[in-house]
Amino acid sequence: MLVVMRHDATEEDVRSVVETIHDLGYEARPIPGKQRTAIGLIGNDGKVPADRIESLAGVLQVIHVSQPYKQVSREWSPEPTVVELENGTRIGGDEVAVMAGPCSVESEAQILAIAQRLRDAGATVLRGGAFKPRTSPYSFQGMGEEGLKLLARAREETGMAIVTEAIDPESLALVVKYADIVQIGARNMQNFSLLRLAGRSGKPVLLKRGMSATITEFLMSAEYILAEGNRQVILCERGVRGFDTQQTRNLLDLTAIPVVKGLSHLPIIADPSHGTGLRAKVIPMARAAVAAGADGLMVEVHPDPERALSDGAQSLYPEQFGELMEQIQVIAEAIGRTLSPSLVPAGVR
Ligand code: PEP
Ligand code: MN
């Protein structure tokens, strides 16, 4: 339930609504907005005496949130959430943010070299897994904390923000220490205890859609993070399992972008790399995702994809990434958006 205050409501009015909600035995969460304040009532068990709240001073209306996800819904917050990173990248506003990098951090030389090239091409967020959720226990599992230290080094050298995956409570504690955005991968989308911990981390969270998750399940998972008081959530469509795995690894669900934008105030980006699994399909689907209204992209790029320790077949060559950036700039402008402003090269800062 959401209590919307009149635009001329006083602080005292807001306080009194909060106190009444507490007295009734529920949690109250004030949400200041540009036009007016709203107060979310958490834990509605269907027994809330709405008329009692409606009659309080300064209350405009009481809205019953019809969706199973509450704080994630557009009803809860009509204004879009914009996640702002320390390096100035904004995700969820008019800008299209580009996150790029190798699937895995493999060595200092690899990550530093690719980071420079990506930054010079206009990416503002560097991705790279240090903890890899691999299908086989015998595949490369990531460099662990050493990989996180290399990402932090790359941030120092390039000014790019860092997004990297946490796969369990131990890796989450480390990722929080080094990264700007905590990534929760497709395989952990319904790891509810991990979602709660990510919610409490105080960091922006990039939540990837599970490979057979419905959009409602996806949004319910995001609700776990918001329920812990963390509104800085970026959703990521990364492809679902289709029936034709001969031609593509996954089926990038582009419709999810406008659907989620209608249902939620949270930003949604697209990952055409995992979404297709094939290098030649990444650029067309990246272009399509921007045209569909994605708030950003996450793209795998490797300096030497043939030798990549994971996901080489879907990793772009750095030159291809440069071409992609030029193309999506035109597409973004055609729909009234811009790419995140490029970071100033390290030497000039
Ligand atoms: C990744 O981003 O490298 C990754 C493992 O993604 P997903 O969780 O979408 O498979
Ligand atoms: Mn990958």
Side-chain angles (χ1 to χ4, degrees):
M1 181 182 279
L2 195 64
V3 185
V4 182
M5 303 300 288
R6 294 158 51 111
H7 73 272
D8 57 357
T10 63
E11 278 179 28
E12 181 50 40
D13 293 339
V14 173
R15 233 188 336 265
S16 135
V17 171
V18 168
E19 273 166 25
T20 306
I21 292 173
H22 286 164
D23 290 348
L24 290 166
Y26 303 97
E27 201 186 315
R29 192 160 289 167
I31 313 161
K34 277 197 200 112
Q35 306 291 336
R36 46 174 58 101
T37 295
I39 300 152
L41 182 150
I42 319 255
N44 188 354
D45 51 4
K47 296 188 193 131
V48 183
D51 47 351
R52 187 160 152 207
I53 298 173
E54 232 152 16
S55 63
L56 294 171
V59 173
L60 178 69
Q61 63 176 147
V62 170
I63 297 175
H64 297 270
V65 180
S66 54
Q67 306 290 356
Y69 37 86
K70 305 294 176 193
Q71 300 187 55
V72 158
S73 73
R74 271 241 180 241
E75 292 164 276
W76 194 271
S77 173
E79 287 164 31
T81 288
V82 180
V83 176
E84 289 199 49
L85 307 179
E86 269 176 33
N87 76 348
T89 305
R90 302 175 85 245
I91 306 141
D94 291 338
E95 292 164 14
V96 175
V98 180
M99 311 182 184
C103 181
S104 305
V105 181
E106 298 170 1
S107 68
E108 178 165 2
Q110 175 234 25
I111 198 69
L112 294 184
I114 196 70
Q116 297 280 359
R117 294 198 66 170
L118 297 169
R119 193 273 321 277
D120 291 347
T124 63
V125 182
L126 177 66
R127 64 146 288 143
F131 298 95
K132 297 303 301 177
R134 303 305 299 279
T135 303
S136 163
Y138 309 116
S139 300
F140 176 59
Q141 304 285 310
M143 291 181 75
E145 187 169 8
E146 194 46 40
L148 297 177
K149 287 185 180 161
L150 296 179
L151 287 167
R153 222 10 249 287
R155 173 176 48 208
E156 257 170 57
E157 293 207 352
T158 63
M160 296 173 88
I162 302 298
V163 57
T164 190
E165 180 166 354
I167 55 173
D168 52 25
E170 292 74 33
S171 56
L172 177 72
L174 289 168
V175 166
V176 166
K177 207 165 121 190
Y178 292 97
D180 299 277
I181 306 174
V182 175
Q183 177 172 326
I184 302 291
R187 291 157 192 80
N188 274 314
M189 188 204 84
Q190 287 190 316
N191 183 339
F192 300 120
S193 56
L194 189 62
L195 294 175
R196 283 195 196 279
L197 286 175
R200 277 182 239 142
S201 72
K203 289 269 175 181
V205 178
L206 179 89
L207 178 64
K208 298 188 91 175
R209 181 178 179 181
M211 45 197 112
S212 34
T214 64
I215 289 174
T216 302
E217 287 165 342
F218 188 22
L219 295 176
M220 290 304 292
S221 288
E223 186 78 15
Y224 269 86
I225 302 169
L226 273 78
E228 295 299 324
N230 186 353
R231 211 188 138 127
Q232 301 181 85
V233 175
I234 305 155
L235 300 167
C236 179
E237 164 57 44
R238 50 77 73 204
V240 291
R241 269 198 209 263
F243 51 86
D244 186 354
T245 48
Q246 279 175 327
Q247 302 299 335
T248 52
R249 179 179 176 189
N250 287 303
L251 188 60
L252 187 66
D253 180 9
L254 283 182
T255 321
I257 295 164
V259 170
V260 165
K261 287 208 152 282
L263 296 172
S264 175
H265 54 85
L266 294 174
I268 177 161
I269 69 165
D271 170 353
S273 306
H274 295 88
T276 62
L278 300 164
R279 182 178 309 124
K281 309 295 177 280
V282 171
I283 291 184
M285 295 315 284
R287 293 190 301 234
V290 174
D295 295 301
L297 294 174
M298 170 173 264
V299 185
E300 288 187 343
V301 189
H302 195 284
D304 188 1
E306 280 70 31
R307 290 194 183 75
L309 297 182
S310 59
D311 286 348
Q314 67 191 34
S315 299
L316 296 184
Y317 293 98
E319 313 74 67
Q320 287 182 299
F321 180 73
E323 287 162 28
L324 170 65
M325 290 299 281
E326 285 173 20
Q327 295 176 357
I328 58 171
Q329 177 153 8
V330 180
I331 297 169
E333 279 167 17
I335 55 168
R337 305 184 81 163
T338 52
L339 296 190
S340 301
S342 300
L343 300 165
V344 182
V348 186
R349 264 181 294 145

